């Protein structure tokens, strides 16, 4: 599965208890309740110390979306999602076991009656990023976290693609928890046929003041397509950071805000192996020009990543 730079406009809605998820009928486990499993495995429940079958797609592969329920990602256009701590706090409240719990006077309260710590942040200065990955498979059971599918910006296969949404708690607000939810999705209006490069594990290479690392080491970063973070579970982790230093979708791991438009097979002329004393990669000047600049309105194809407000674009034409 390859991380894509999905820049989305996210609309936040309310809740009844802690933790949050991106709710949409295309979600695997959209109708899972607190009683469906022997343990609380609702989409908002955090994942930690679990077996692979429990954390992969949140253990919801047996609870697929209904036929025709697809999250549409229009290339070059905004896409809006609803993030909340309970489905009853979204516009999909009718299928929530608790009904409509939205607060009329504060519709953007993600967790009604709770502080921001309920969704693991102290505020905008404490946001730690989130990400979406896409696999060009129409069956979630064909998706593997390490044997990555070929990914391009061409149209999805019949039946759509498989997407997954990831985020990890802020170390200042919460336990050792991470989140994964799967969706049936589809990219529309795309014309690019350049495949995404093989995804690699991201490396901790940016500044890290809590751990007294005051300088970044750009040559030690992973460049291009990167895998999502699989952390703090019993099986198939790809990140092994400690309890109070979780991997985050931030500059610290070379997940920059805005378009991640260097993830394609032709993005670089050379990409040396990461090393604290290594050489820097060389971008394809034919595509990026003499200077690579990430902008909020990229001029070429873009695989977006989740930020609070942005746009999914694919302008490789």
């Amino acid at each position: 599965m390859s991380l894509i730079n999905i820049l989305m406009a996210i609309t936040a809605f309310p809740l009844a208890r802690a933790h949050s998820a991106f709710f949409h009928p295309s979600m695997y486990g959209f109708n899972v309740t607190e009683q469906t499993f022997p343990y609380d495995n609702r989409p908002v429940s955090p994942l930690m110390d679990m077996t692979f079958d429990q954390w992969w797609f949140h253990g919801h592969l047996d609870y697929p979306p209904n036929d025709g329920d697809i999250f549409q990602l229009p290339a070059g256009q905004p896409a809006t999602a609803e993030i909340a701590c309970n489905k009853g706090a979204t516009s999909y409240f009718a299928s929530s076991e608790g009904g409509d719990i939205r607060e009329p006077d504060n519709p953007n309260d993600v967790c009604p009656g709770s502080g921001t710590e309920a969704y693991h942040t102290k505020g905008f200065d404490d946001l730690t990023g989130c990400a979406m990955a896409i696999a060009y498979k129409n069956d979630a059971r064909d998706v593997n976290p390490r044997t990555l599918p070929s990914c391009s910006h061409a149209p999805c296969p019949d039946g759509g693609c498989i997407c997954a949404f990831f985020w990890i708690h802020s170390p200042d607000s919460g336990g050792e928890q991470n989140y994964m939810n799967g969706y049936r999705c589809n990219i529309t209006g795309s014309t690019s046929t350049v495949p995404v490069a093989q995804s690699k594990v991201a490396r901790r290479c940016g500044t890290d003041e809590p751990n007294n690392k005051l300088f970044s080491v750009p040559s030690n970063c992973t460049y291009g397509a990167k895998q999502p973070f699989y952390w703090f579970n019993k099986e198939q982790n790809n990140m092994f950071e400690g309890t109070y230093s979780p991997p985050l979708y931030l500059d610290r791991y070379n997940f920059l805000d805005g378009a991640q438009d260097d993830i394609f097979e032709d993005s670089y002329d050379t990409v040396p192996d990461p090393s604290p004393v290594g050489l820097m990669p060389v971008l394809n000047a034919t595509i990026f020009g003499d200077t690579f600049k990430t902008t909020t309105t990229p001029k070429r194809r873009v695989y977006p990543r989740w930020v609070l407000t942005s746009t999914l674009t694919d302008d490789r034409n």
Side-chain angles (χ1 to χ4, degrees):
M1 181 175 286
S2 279
L3 259 193
I4 66 173
N5 172 43
I6 285 193
L7 307 181
M8 310 287 256
I10 298 180
T11 303
F13 284 83
L15 139 29
R17 10 175 159 163
H19 315 306
S20 61
F22 147 29
F23 283 98
H24 188 269
S26 63
M27 170 190 277
Y28 284 77
F30 182 67
N31 290 316
V32 166
T33 71
E34 198 167 353
Q35 287 73 44
T36 305
F37 285 75
Y39 57 98
D40 184 1
N41 197 34
R42 294 170 300 150
V44 299
S45 297
L47 306 171
M48 59 183 293
D49 199 31
M50 290 184 169
T51 65
F52 177 72
D53 288 342
Q54 288 176 312
W55 72 258
W56 182 243
F57 278 77
H58 217 293
H60 291 160
L61 287 176
D62 289 333
Y63 301 86
N66 293 324
D67 291 343
D69 286 335
I70 297 178
F71 189 71
Q72 300 291 345
L73 302 173
Q77 302 294 324
T80 300
E82 299 180 37
I83 291 183
C85 302
N86 184 293
K87 187 167 58 170
T90 74
S91 62
Y92 308 111
F93 64 84
S95 62
S96 173
E97 69 273 26
D100 188 357
I101 65 168
R102 295 174 297 175
E103 288 190 9
D105 295 334
N106 190 8
N108 288 323
D109 185 351
V110 177
C111 297
S114 301
T116 60
E117 288 83 0
Y119 42 96
H120 296 301
T121 183
K122 293 182 176 180
F124 277 94
D125 293 335
D126 189 39
L127 295 177
T128 54
C130 45
M132 179 167 271
I134 186 169
Y136 274 72
K137 303 284 187 180
N138 57 20
D139 187 341
R141 295 186 184 279
D142 292 336
V143 180
N144 184 292
R146 288 177 174 77
T147 308
L148 306 181
S150 175
C151 214
S152 76
H153 236 174
C156 291
D158 291 342
C161 292
I162 301 299
C163 289
F165 179 67
F166 298 86
W167 68 280
I168 290 177
H169 76 96
S170 162
D172 294 331
S173 285
E176 304 75 40
Q177 300 168 343
N178 52 135
Y179 300 79
M180 177 187 185
N181 297 107
Y183 306 82
R184 186 175 292 132
C185 59
N186 188 42
I187 295 177
T188 61
S190 174
T191 58
S192 174
T193 58
V194 177
V196 171
Q198 180 71 38
S199 295
K200 299 178 181 179
V201 175
R203 293 169 66 92
R204 199 178 186 100
C205 61
T207 59
D208 187 359
E209 293 184 5
N211 289 303
N212 298 314
K213 185 180 178 182
L214 304 182
F215 300 98
S216 62
V217 185
S219 63
N220 201 36
C221 293
T222 299
Y223 288 88
K226 293 179 279 293
Q227 295 177 15
F229 297 138
Y230 310 133
W231 177 71
F232 229 85
N233 279 296
K234 291 179 178 178
E235 299 175 313
Q236 299 208 35
N237 296 314
N238 65 1
M239 308 303 291
F240 301 93
E241 277 75 348
T243 301
Y244 302 108
S245 298
L248 306 172
Y249 294 102
L250 298 175
D251 295 13
R252 189 173 298 166
Y253 287 83
N254 203 28
F255 284 105
L256 308 181
D257 280 342
Q260 313 286 299
D261 55 358
D262 69 333
I263 66 174
F264 298 85
E265 286 187 348
D266 63 352
S267 294
Y268 290 92
D269 289 335
T270 60
V271 184
D273 291 335
S275 167
V277 294
L279 299 174
M280 291 291 292
V282 178
L283 283 157
N284 185 338
T286 302
I287 298 171
F288 291 97
D290 294 333
T291 304
F292 174 54
K293 295 181 179 179
T294 299
T295 65
T296 54
T297 309
K299 295 183 178 179
R300 62 191 299 276
R301 80 267 171 153
V302 171
Y303 257 155
R305 153 181 172 248
W306 289 85
V307 292
L308 285 180
T309 304
S310 206
T311 308
L312 173 66
T313 60
D314 178 4
D315 297 328
R316 185 180 170 84
N317 299 351

